[in-house]
Amino acid sequence: MATCPICRKNPTVEAYRPFCSKRCADVDLQRWLVGSYVLPDTEEPLPDNDPENDD
């Protein structure tokens, strides 16, 4: 059986999968809401000036 990704101790419960309890599911939700989880920005930055629009 898989372990909870938040507490890493308890096995997951089908009702709250992949978490072991509502508490761990709520902890995960709170982390998303406050911005603790961030996806990395992999795009190249846009150039500051466009050579076609030079006047």
Side-chain angles (χ1 to χ4, degrees):
M1 209 173 207
T3 59
C4 177
I6 300 298
C7 69
R8 304 260 185 230
K9 296 178 184 175
N10 301 321
T12 60
V13 175
E14 192 65 34
Y16 299 108
R17 197 171 207 187
F19 308 103
C20 66
S21 65
K22 182 169 178 9
R23 180 199 162 277
C24 284
D26 288 345
V27 167
D28 183 69
L29 177 60
Q30 179 65 21
R31 289 178 182 174
W32 278 106
L33 293 175
V34 299
S36 294
Y37 297 141
V38 179
L39 297 175
D41 183 14
T42 59
E43 291 185 24
E44 293 291 323
L46 296 175
D48 290 338
N49 56 10
D50 188 359
E52 293 182 5
N53 291 333
D54 284 344
D55 290 332

